[in-house]
């Protein structure tokens, strides 16, 4: 471990390794977090730099760059370069340029048909390896991080490489989702030049395969995840995805820190995608956003019918199957649905079918649209998020900030960030949405019904909206919690 006479007063230097960072590249919440947390850490006095793969879209957005280093002789890996860049928010970027691995048509993890890239072990093996090189005495840079902060399985091998490197900085590994593990054939250990000895239960082995996620969880000096409640849930079988034993063993080194909101991007008073800006003090603009959204999605322009918004990956995790199943009953309440998302073909088809069956009542956009996602947060009356599990979830944070109370399942970060509306919590000022226990259609339906009933009580609904908008989910508090973790790891 590096012990280069650390000066307590010097800025803490952190290498933040990630496979996506908004607005350069985003498939979900990891992109949002990597786009915002490094800036928040810098704002409280740290020198944080982001390491990101040079996908085509990232290289295309780099204004000017210098070649900082070339890696031509890394055994087992193709030649690669490190380019300098800057995020729009000023965070320095280290872009890992390796066109044969990263520049291709399709997404960061999958091809255009939704199949995982077959060379993902090499693609994210290289990312993990370079993060470890930069965090060790083998680094070609003259900037040496005190700590390497890794995110999700794509950088899971970094803590393992660091463990076997000379002069290595310690690592923190953040779990954004236990469902994605990066499990590959055992031969990958050798291909990616990890010592064979690490293929065992005390190492990267997981049910006969090698696992990038397990490597991160086993070798990192400290583990964090994106909400306190999820930190508890993953230590148990139901949501531990097979790694609950390891996580429970490491429970003393596991911290849950709730994600925040990037208020430069998500603020109804300044949001560039909205037809009319609004704030808690001037709410009239929200009605204009509802009308705009109803028009845009081909819904009946009905100011008094509650409009339910959804923005989501279409996967089992998000529980949208339940919502689609009860949609006809919701329309009968009455209510309208505005759905944006993409993912599993069957769910996409079910959503499309609903919009054909109920024209003017169900508006569906299959795809990925940053613009429409902001317009739904602003134009909807309530936001529906019936996730089966949710490490943190960002949309329920955004929706509160936009005065759009969320309806959520009692799980993960949803439970940490939404307070169920009851007579007492509404009176006490803490109510900010609707929370249901027991993942089934009946509970989801009755909870949405509870929400639409309250919607028609204008006085109470206003109070609820005001509570939502008064909440503070800014990144500052989370950044301070990460700093405390860094200090703990560094023994400061
Ligand atoms: P997850 O990362 O599990 O998908 P989060 O709630 O943490 O869930 O974050 C999802 C992020 O991705 C949010 O910023 C959300 O608005 C965005 N998002 C998801 N699907 C879409 C979509 N189809 N179009 C635009 N943004 C989307
Ligand atoms: C993951 C989780 C989501 C979380 C996001 C950012 O994608 O599914 O709950 O908000 O990561 O941490």
């Amino acid at each position: 471990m590096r012990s280069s006479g650390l000066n307590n007063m010097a800025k803490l230097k952190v290498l933040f390794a990630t496979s996506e960072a908004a607005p350069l590249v985003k498939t979900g919440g990891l992109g949002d977090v990597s786009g915002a947390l490094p800036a928040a850490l810098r704002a409280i006095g740290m020198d944080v730099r982001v390491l990101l793969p040079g996908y085509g879209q990232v290289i295309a957005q780099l204004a000017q760059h210098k070649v900082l280093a070339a890696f031509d002789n890394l055994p087992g890996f193709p030649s690669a370069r490190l380019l300098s860049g800057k995020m729009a928010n000023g965070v320095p970027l280290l872009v890992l340029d390796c066109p044969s691995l990263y520049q291709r048509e399709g997404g960061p993890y999958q091809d255009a048909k939704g199949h995982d890239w077959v060379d993902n072990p090499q693609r994210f093996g290289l990312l993990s390896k370079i993060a470890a090189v930069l965090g060790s005495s083998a680094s070609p840079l003259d900037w040496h991080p005190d700590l390497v902060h890794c995110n999700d399985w794509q950088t899971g091998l970094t803590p393992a490489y660091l463990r076997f490197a000379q002069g290595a900085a310690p690592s923190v590994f953040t779990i954004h989702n236990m469902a994605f593990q990066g499990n590959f054939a055992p031969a990958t250990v050798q291909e990616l030049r990890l010592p064979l000895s690490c293929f065992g239960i005390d190492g990267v082995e997981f049910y006969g395969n090698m696992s990038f996620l397990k490597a991160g969880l086993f070798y990192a000096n400290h583990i964090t995840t994106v909400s306190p409640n999820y930190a508890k849930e993953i230590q148990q079988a139901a949501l531990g995805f097979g790694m609950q034993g390891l996580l429970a063993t490491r429970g003393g080194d596991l911290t849950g820190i709730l994600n925040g909101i990037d208020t430069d991007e998500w603020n109804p008073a300044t949001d560039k995608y909205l037809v009319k800006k609004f704030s808690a003090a001037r709410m009239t603009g929200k009605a204009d956003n509802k009308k705009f959204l109803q028009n845009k999605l081909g819904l009946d322009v009905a100011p008094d019918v509650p409009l339910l918004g959804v923005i989501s990956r279409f996967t089992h995790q998000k529980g949208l199957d339940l919502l689609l199943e009860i949609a006809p009953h919701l329309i009968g309440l009455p209510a309208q649905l505005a759905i944006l998302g993409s993912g599993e073909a069957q769910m996409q088809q079910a959503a499309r079918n609903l919009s054909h069956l109920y024209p003017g009542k169900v508006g569906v956009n299959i795809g990925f649209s940053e613009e429409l996602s902001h317009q739904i947060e602003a134009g909807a009356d309530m936001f529906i998020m019936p996730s089966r599990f949710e490490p943190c979830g960002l949309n329920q944070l955004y929706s509160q900030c936009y005065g759009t109370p969320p309806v959520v399942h009692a799980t993960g970060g949803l439970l940490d960030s939404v307070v169920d509306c009851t007579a007492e919590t509404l009176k006490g000022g803490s109510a900010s949405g609707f929370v249901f226990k027991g993942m089934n259609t009946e509970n989801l339906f009755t909870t949405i019904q509870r929400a639409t009933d309250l919607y028609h009580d204008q006085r109470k609904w206003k109070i609820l909206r005001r509570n939502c908008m008064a909440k503070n989910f800014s990144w500052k508090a989370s950044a301070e919690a990460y700093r405390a973790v860094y200090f703990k790891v560094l023994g400061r």
Side-chain angles (χ1 to χ4, degrees):
M1 206 163 282
R2 188 189 306 283
S3 63
S4 51
L6 282 174
N7 173 353
N8 276 346
M9 298 313 287
K11 271 195 176 186
L12 193 71
K13 296 192 286 292
V14 177
L15 178 67
F16 190 93
T18 181
S19 57
E20 52 183 275
L24 295 169
V25 50
K26 160 173 163 180
T27 69
L30 173 61
D32 289 348
V33 173
S34 305
L37 174 59
L41 292 167
R42 288 177 69 85
I44 57 167
M46 285 176 247
D47 177 3
V48 182
R49 305 186 186 190
V50 170
L51 174 70
L52 184 69
Y55 310 113
Q57 70 202 94
V58 171
I59 302 281
Q61 291 175 78
L62 279 186
Q64 284 178 330
H65 62 256
K66 280 197 296 208
V67 178
L68 297 173
F71 303 94
D72 291 320
N73 300 306
L74 274 183
F77 294 99
S79 291
R81 302 185 306 166
L82 203 60
L83 311 178
S84 68
K86 209 163 228 172
M87 309 264 300
N89 59 14
V91 174
L93 269 179
L94 303 166
V95 175
L96 180 55
D97 181 35
C98 181
S100 63
L101 292 184
Y102 303 130
Q103 292 202 35
R104 48 180 77 164
E105 294 294 315
Y109 317 120
Q110 297 178 329
D111 64 19
K113 289 193 179 134
H115 302 300
D116 287 353
W117 295 113
V118 288
D119 57 354
N120 273 347
Q122 288 71 36
R123 299 173 73 238
F124 297 109
L126 179 70
L127 178 65
S128 294
K129 176 72 185 178
I130 296 299
V133 170
L134 299 180
S136 73
S137 51
S139 174
L141 304 184
D142 48 19
W143 181 81
H144 294 283
D146 299 308
L147 185 139
V148 182
H149 185 159
C150 311
N151 293 276
D152 268 355
W153 76 264
Q154 293 88 348
T155 53
L157 294 189
T158 301
Y161 286 125
L162 281 169
R163 186 61 66 95
F164 302 108
Q166 299 292 314
S171 58
V172 169
F173 181 82
T174 297
I175 304 162
H176 296 265
N177 198 332
M178 288 294 300
F180 301 104
Q181 305 192 330
N183 298 337
F184 302 105
T188 316
V189 172
Q190 205 166 4
E191 281 162 26
L192 298 179
R193 306 301 162 108
L194 282 163
L196 290 183
S197 61
C198 70
F199 191 71
I201 183 144
D202 287 332
V204 305
E205 189 268 345
F206 183 61
Y207 289 100
N209 280 322
M210 75 86 73
S211 170
F212 275 53
L213 177 63
K214 183 166 173 220
L217 301 183
F218 186 80
Y219 289 106
N221 297 73
H222 198 95
I223 304 165
T224 73
T225 190
V226 288
S227 68
N229 190 38
Y230 192 62
K232 286 189 217 137
E233 290 173 342
I234 56 179
Q235 297 182 51
Q236 284 153 21
L239 290 179
F241 287 86
M243 300 201 189
Q244 59 277 4
L246 171 58
L247 286 162
T249 310
R250 297 218 58 192
D253 299 324
L254 170 59
T255 309
I257 302 174
L258 197 72
N259 288 331
I261 296 182
D262 181 348
T263 45
D264 289 339
E265 291 295 320
W266 296 93
N267 177 353
T270 56
D271 191 325
K272 62 176 185 261
Y273 297 119
L274 307 193
V275 277
K276 200 73 169 268
K277 323 256 186 265
F278 60 94
S279 63
R282 290 177 68 91
M283 279 304 282
T284 49
K286 189 156 169 73
D288 297 289
N289 284 286
K290 177 170 179 179
K291 187 172 173 193
F292 174 85
L293 183 62
Q294 285 173 322
N295 274 318
K296 184 163 179 167
L297 292 180
L299 294 166
D300 299 339
V301 176
D304 300 327
V305 175
L307 175 52
L308 321 184
V310 174
I311 305 160
S312 187
R313 292 186 288 114
F314 287 4
T315 62
H316 183 74
Q317 173 189 346
K318 301 293 179 179
L320 291 183
D321 44 327
L322 298 195
L323 183 73
L324 298 176
E325 206 179 315
I326 62 169
H329 302 288
L330 295 175
I331 289 155
L333 281 172
Q336 295 181 346
L337 276 166
I339 303 177
L340 165 65
S342 62
E344 288 170 19
Q346 218 180 342
M347 263 192 246
Q348 294 191 166
Q349 198 49 51
R352 278 202 191 97
N353 290 348
L354 280 173
S355 71
H356 294 140
L357 273 172
Y358 301 101
K361 315 286 181 229
V362 180
V364 172
N365 186 310
I366 304 292
F368 198 94
S369 164
E370 196 65 36
E371 175 177 311
L372 182 56
S373 73
H374 287 244
Q375 292 165 346
I376 291 179
E377 291 291 7
D381 293 303
M382 54 198 83
F383 192 87
I384 315 296
M385 213 161 160
S387 307
R388 289 191 166 80
F389 64 94
E390 196 62 77
C392 177
L394 292 169
N395 278 307
Q396 84 284 5
L397 305 183
Y398 301 152
S399 75
Q400 288 173 75
C401 176
Y402 281 64
T404 307
V407 176
V408 304
H409 178 219
T411 186
L414 301 176
L415 204 54
D416 283 327
S417 57
V418 182
V419 177
D420 188 44
C421 182
T422 62
E424 294 76 50
T425 57
L426 193 64
K427 207 163 150 214
S430 62
S432 68
F434 302 87
V435 183
F436 69 96
K437 293 197 180 115
M439 186 66 193
N440 61 46
T441 46
E442 198 183 327
N443 293 339
L444 175 60
F445 179 76
T446 52
T447 307
I448 295 179
Q449 193 172 33
R450 188 154 64 86
T452 57
D453 285 349
L454 198 90
Y455 169 87
H456 293 294
D457 183 331
Q458 283 200 12
R459 191 186 62 84
K460 287 187 180 157
W461 192 254
K462 271 189 190 155
I463 298 174
L464 181 64
R465 274 199 324 212
R466 208 177 313 128
N467 289 352
C468 286
M469 295 176 90
K471 283 208 165 187
N472 179 3
F473 292 115
S474 87
W475 269 107
K476 188 163 182 283
S478 317
E480 281 163 357
Y482 279 103
R483 180 172 56 188
V485 166
Y486 297 162
F487 281 172
K488 183 175 174 202
V489 168
L490 292 166
R492 294 195 186 179

